[in-house]
Amino acid sequence: MPIATITKQAKKYLPHLNEKRLKAAYNFAMRAHEGQKRMDGTPYITHPTEVALILLKLRVDEDTLIACFLHDVVEDTPYTIKYVEERFGKNVAFLVRGVTKLSKVKYRHDMLARQVDSLRKFFLHSARDLRIILIKLADRLHNMRTLSHVRKEKQLRIAKETMEIYVPIANLLGVWELKSDLENLCFFYIHPNEYKKLAYLVEQNTPHQEKILADTTHKVMWRLKKNGIKAEVHARPKSLYSIFRKMIDKGQRFQDINDLLAVRVVVKDRETCYRVLGVIHSLFPPKSGRVKDYIAVPKANGYQSLHTTVFGINGAPTEFQIRTHEMHFEAEYGIASHFFYKELASMPPSTFRKEIKKRSTWVKKVLDLQRELKSNFDFLENLKVDIFQDRIFVFTPYGDVVDLPQGAIGIDFAYHLQNNLGDHAVRLRLNGEECSVTTVLKTGDVVEVLTSPNQKLPKREWLDKIKTSLARHRIKESLKQQSSEQCHRAGASFMKKELHLYGRHEIETLPEEKKKQLVEFFQSKNWHEFLERVGNGSIPEDKIIENLYTKEEILGPPSRMVHPYSFAKSGDRKKEPHLTILSNTKPTAYYRIKLFLRVADRVGLLRDIGIHLANLNVNIHQVNVTDNPSEKTTCIVMVVEVLEMKQLRNVFNALHSMEDVHNFYLMH
C-alpha cells in the first residue's frame, strides 16, 4: 500500500510523525478523487501519491506531505478550502490554497488569462511560504513524467511553460535534482529528434567514460590520502539537457564538451577545498580560464563549489567540483535544506533568516512586478526576463556582490544600488576605465557609478536599453516628476532621435496622417499630449516605430529563407549521428539592412563591432569604410542580416553602448 511506504520513509527523518493524521489525509484524498482517472488510465490518487514520494527525497515536513495528498482536492472535487482547514488545520489549508489554480468557469473564455492569474496567485502565496513552490515543482515533475498521454500540441505547450517558468524556479531554489529532471523531460518534448540522437551518443560513449572516471577517481583518492586529506570522491553524471545547452550556446560538437567527464570531491571545510584544488592541479594540468570560485562568490541560489577543468587521463577534459559537506548538502537540496534539515536547525535564528532571505530575494522581485504591471502579458514577459533568465554577478568597488539578469547595463546596476542613483548617473568606471552608463555588464566586472549634480533626471532613451523592471519603474517615476512642458520637450527630442535612427521622416516633416495614427493608437487627445506621454515614459518606445511604419517599410523585402538556429558543427557522419537543425523550428526570412556609422577610428574597432553583432547572432554581409578628414572621423556603411525588428533594436542598443560610435542610422 503506497501510504505504508510513504509513512515508513517519512519516519526515518520525522520520528514524531503523526501517522494517523498522514493516513487520514491519504484516505480522504482517495475518497475525494474516487472514480477520477488520469490521462494514462490510472486512478487519480496515484498523482498526489507520486508528488509526496518526490518530496520525500527532500525530507519535507508533515504538513507538506499532507498538502501533497490534498493539493488537487479543492480544484477537482466538491470539497472546499474551508473543509480542508477544518479537517487538517490552517497551515495545510494555506499550502493547498497556494497550489490550487483559479476557477475554470470564471476564465472559460480566456484560459491564458487563467493561467497567468493563477501564476500571480501562486507567487503571492509562495512569498509567505516557499513550501508551496516545492509542492508545485513536484506536481509539475509528475505531470511531465506522464505527459506522453496528452495530445501533441498540449505536450509542447506544457513543456515550454515548464522550461520558461518552473525550471528557473527550481534553479533559484537550488533544488538541483528537480531542476535536472524537469529539464531533461522538457528537452524530450521540445526537441525530440535531438534528444534521441544525443541519448544515443551518450550511450555509445558511456563504457569509455566509465573507465576513465574510475581511473581518475582512484588516482585522485590515492593522491589525497598521501597528502593526509580525507575526502569523498565520486563521478557526477552530466544531464542530456546540459550537454545539449552547451552545444547550442558554444557551437560545440559532442566530443568537444569540456565537462562530459565530471568528478565531485567533498571535504570537511573551506580551507581543505583549496588544498584539494592544488592537489588536482598537481596531478593534471588545468585548462586556461576554466577555474571558477563559487565559494568566494556564490551563485544567486546560494550554490557554492570550486570548479576546475583539467586535461585528465589520456588528455580527456575532466571537470572537478570541490565543496564541503554542508555545501554539498545545500547543492543537492537547496532551500529545502534550511527548511527541513535537522543538521542545520541548530543555527542561530538570525543566521537562519539570512540564509532564507538569500535564496528568496527573487520572490520580492516577483511581488514588485505584480504591483507594477497590470497586464498579464507584461507580467509574464518581465517575469521571464527580469527574474528567471540567467544571472550575472558584478562587484561594487567595496567588494559587495550585485546579482543582475544577463544583459543588464550600468543603469540597472545604479538603480539596484540606490533608488535615485541612476537619475544622476553620467558615466561608469568599469574595471578601472570610464565608459558609457549603457554598457552591458558581465560577471566579474567591478563597477562604480559616476554622477553629476547637473543631471537631475534620467534619460528617456534608457528605457529601451535596461533589463530590470526595478530600473524601468524608477526611471518612469522620475520622468513623471517633470512639468508638462518638460515632458513635451523630452518627447519631441526622443521622437526626433527615433525617426533619425530608423532613417525615416524628420519629426518636422512627419505627415499629419502618421501623427493621427499614433495619437489614435495610444489613445491620446492630440499630438501635444502624445509627445508628453512619450516624454514621461508612459508610451513603450518599441511600440512607436512598430505602429508608425510597417515591417517592410523599415526592413525592406525579405531575403531567402533560412533556419534561424543551428544545432552544432557536424562531426564525422560515419561515426556519429549528424546533429544540425533544431526540431520544431521552421525556416524563416532574414532581412538585409544598410547601416551608416560615424566613428572615431582606432585599431580593432571593426573587430569589436563584429563581436558585438556576433553576440546577437547578427551576420555582417558587407562593409565599406571611408575617411572623413575634415571631421577627423571615419564613415562605415555596413550591410547586416537580421531576422526581425527586435533584433534590429538589439543592434542599435549594442552600437549605442560603444564609445567610439558617435552616430548611426538606418539607410534606405
Side-chain angles (χ1 to χ4, degrees), residues 177-201:
E177 188 173 349
L178 289 181
K179 171 183 176 285
S180 182
D181 288 349
L182 286 170
E183 280 179 336
N184 283 333
L185 288 164
C186 292
F187 180 23
F188 177 82
Y189 287 103
I190 298 173
H191 305 301
N193 293 336
E194 283 65 42
Y195 180 95
K196 291 171 187 173
K197 292 172 184 176
L198 201 52
Y200 172 80
L201 289 176

Side-chain angles (χ1 to χ4, degrees), residues 206-416:
T206 296
H208 173 66
Q209 284 189 340
E210 287 179 345
K211 175 68 167 64
I212 292 179
L213 283 172
D215 292 346
T216 302
T217 301
H218 177 75
K219 191 171 184 178
V220 169
M221 288 181 71
W222 177 81
R223 181 61 69 90
L224 290 175
K225 188 175 181 180
K226 187 177 179 182
N227 282 269
I229 298 173
K230 291 183 178 181
E232 296 174 11
V233 183
H234 47 86
R236 178 185 65 86
K238 191 166 185 66
S239 74
L240 285 180
Y241 182 74
S242 60
I243 298 171
F244 170 77
R245 210 41 276 163
K246 285 209 168 185
M247 293 175 77
I248 291 293
D249 292 342
K250 299 187 177 181
Q252 293 179 324
R253 296 175 301 166
F254 174 76
Q255 59 266 37
D256 294 331
I257 301 295
N258 281 321
D259 52 358
L260 284 175
L261 299 173
V263 176
R264 183 175 291 141
V265 183
V266 184
V267 295
K268 64 177 181 177
D269 53 39
R270 292 166 65 108
E271 290 73 16
T272 309
C273 290
Y274 292 98
R275 286 182 62 199
V276 170
L277 182 67
V279 170
I280 290 169
H281 285 175
S282 70
L283 276 173
F284 308 110
K287 291 195 75 172
S288 176
R290 295 290 301 174
V291 179
K292 298 176 183 178
D293 189 345
Y294 294 121
I295 292 179
V297 185
K299 291 187 178 182
N301 58 14
Y303 174 86
Q304 290 185 288
S305 278
L306 292 176
H307 287 198
T308 183
T309 301
V310 302
F311 294 100
I313 292 174
N314 299 329
T318 306
E319 183 190 63
F320 283 86
Q321 295 179 352
I322 309 162
R323 59 178 69 147
T324 67
H325 290 283
E326 185 175 336
M327 291 172 192
H328 180 62
F329 200 63
E330 295 187 35
E332 290 297 298
Y333 303 110
I335 202 165
S337 65
H338 288 279
F339 267 116
F340 308 120
Y341 283 74
K342 62 182 179 182
E343 288 90 338
L344 298 175
S346 59
M347 66 171 62
S350 59
T351 306
F352 178 85
R353 286 193 296 271
K354 183 180 177 182
E355 290 297 324
I356 293 299
K357 183 179 178 182
K358 185 167 65 177
R359 284 157 179 74
S360 55
T361 52
W362 64 274
V363 175
K364 182 181 180 299
K365 295 178 184 177
V366 172
L367 297 180
D368 288 341
L369 277 184
Q370 297 215 53
R371 284 190 289 269
E372 183 186 342
L373 301 171
K374 305 303 180 188
S375 160
N376 278 340
F377 176 79
D378 288 343
F379 169 72
L380 200 54
E381 289 306 302
N382 279 271
L383 191 71
K384 295 173 188 175
V385 172
D386 196 21
I387 296 162
F388 291 157
Q389 73 172 33
D390 291 338
R391 314 298 292 176
I392 62 169
F393 303 91
V394 296
F395 297 87
T396 70
Y398 306 102
D400 296 323
V401 182
V402 177
D403 166 25
L404 294 166
Q406 197 167 60
I409 64 173
I411 290 299
D412 291 298
F413 174 84
Y415 282 110
H416 184 95

Side-chain angles (χ1 to χ4, degrees), residues 28-47:
F28 169 62
M30 188 161 58
R31 288 195 306 273
H33 291 294
E34 191 172 5
Q36 295 179 355
K37 299 280 188 183
R38 296 275 290 171
M39 292 295 288
D40 59 1
T42 58
Y44 198 91
I45 190 62
T46 59
H47 171 65

Side-chain angles (χ1 to χ4, degrees), residues 419-663:
N419 282 353
N420 62 348
L421 182 62
D423 292 359
H424 313 293
V426 291
R427 302 280 288 170
L428 294 183
R429 186 170 285 121
L430 187 65
N431 304 322
E433 297 184 6
E434 284 196 21
C435 63
S436 167
V437 291
T438 59
T439 301
V440 177
L441 307 178
K442 62 183 185 299
T443 291
D445 283 341
V446 179
V447 188
E448 182 180 358
V449 180
L450 306 179
T451 61
S452 169
N454 297 324
Q455 180 168 299
K456 307 293 184 185
L457 293 166
K459 307 284 183 163
R460 171 62 177 77
E461 53 265 30
W462 289 348
L463 286 171
D464 192 36
K465 301 175 179 63
I466 53 176
K467 293 292 285 187
T468 62
S469 60
L470 174 64
R472 182 168 290 104
H473 177 71
R474 300 292 184 212
I475 291 172
K476 287 182 178 179
E477 287 297 304
S478 295
L479 290 175
K480 286 175 183 176
Q481 294 173 14
Q482 302 175 100
S483 68
S484 174
E485 194 52 42
Q486 285 176 314
C487 288
H488 179 266
R489 286 199 301 270
S493 174
F494 179 79
M495 282 294 295
K496 184 175 182 177
K497 291 176 183 177
E498 281 289 281
L499 291 169
H500 173 73
L501 192 61
Y502 284 92
R504 304 306 304 182
H505 297 88
E506 297 292 330
I507 190 169
E508 295 81 6
T509 60
L510 190 66
E512 287 300 319
E513 63 268 20
K514 291 286 188 184
K515 293 181 180 179
K516 184 179 178 183
Q517 188 176 317
L518 289 174
V519 168
E520 290 179 353
F521 182 84
F522 292 105
Q523 300 177 345
S524 301
K525 293 178 183 177
N526 49 46
W527 180 245
H528 191 282
E529 187 190 76
F530 167 77
L531 290 180
E532 278 186 36
R533 294 179 63 206
V534 171
N536 68 25
S538 299
I539 292 178
E541 55 280 354
D542 58 329
K543 302 294 182 186
I544 296 173
I545 294 296
E546 187 180 299
N547 286 284
L548 194 55
Y549 302 105
T550 65
K551 185 177 180 180
E552 289 70 26
E553 285 179 298
I554 297 295
L555 300 179
S559 296
R560 63 186 175 83
M561 305 296 281
V562 295
H563 283 280
Y565 305 104
S566 60
F567 181 74
K569 298 174 183 177
S570 59
D572 186 339
R573 298 191 187 194
K574 294 179 181 178
K575 294 181 180 179
E576 62 180 50
H578 184 50
L579 300 173
T580 51
I581 303 300
L582 290 178
S583 59
N584 302 322
T585 58
K586 297 178 181 178
T588 187
Y590 73 84
Y591 301 84
R592 279 189 179 149
I593 58 167
K594 187 182 290 186
L595 295 174
F596 174 85
L597 291 76
R598 192 179 301 281
V599 303
D601 197 15
R602 61 169 171 80
V603 174
L605 177 63
L606 279 176
R607 176 204 62 197
D608 291 346
I609 292 173
I611 290 172
H612 273 72
L613 298 189
N615 288 338
L616 299 172
N617 291 319
V618 172
N619 181 51
I620 300 175
H621 175 69
Q622 190 177 5
V623 178
N624 187 25
V625 181
T626 56
D627 288 327
N628 188 356
S630 62
E631 297 184 16
K632 297 182 180 180
T633 58
T634 298
C635 300
I636 301 174
V637 176
M638 180 181 295
V639 178
V640 301
E641 297 171 349
V642 298
L643 297 172
E644 57 185 354
M645 288 286 287
K646 184 177 180 181
Q647 195 174 33
L648 173 60
R649 193 79 199 185
N650 291 338
V651 170
F652 289 163
N653 289 342
L655 294 174
H656 268 305
S657 70
M658 298 188 67
E659 290 288 297
D660 298 297
V661 179
H662 295 167
N663 181 27

Side-chain angles (χ1 to χ4, degrees), residues 36-74:
Q36 295 179 355
K37 299 280 188 183
R38 296 275 290 171
M39 292 295 288
D40 59 1
T42 58
Y44 198 91
I45 190 62
T46 59
H47 171 65
T49 302
E50 288 295 326
V51 171
L53 285 167
I54 290 168
L55 289 191
L56 272 175
K57 294 180 181 178
L58 299 183
R59 296 162 69 179
V60 296
D61 64 358
E62 184 179 304
D63 281 350
T64 306
L65 289 174
I66 289 172
C68 286
F69 291 135
L70 308 180
H71 77 272
D72 279 336
V73 164
V74 175

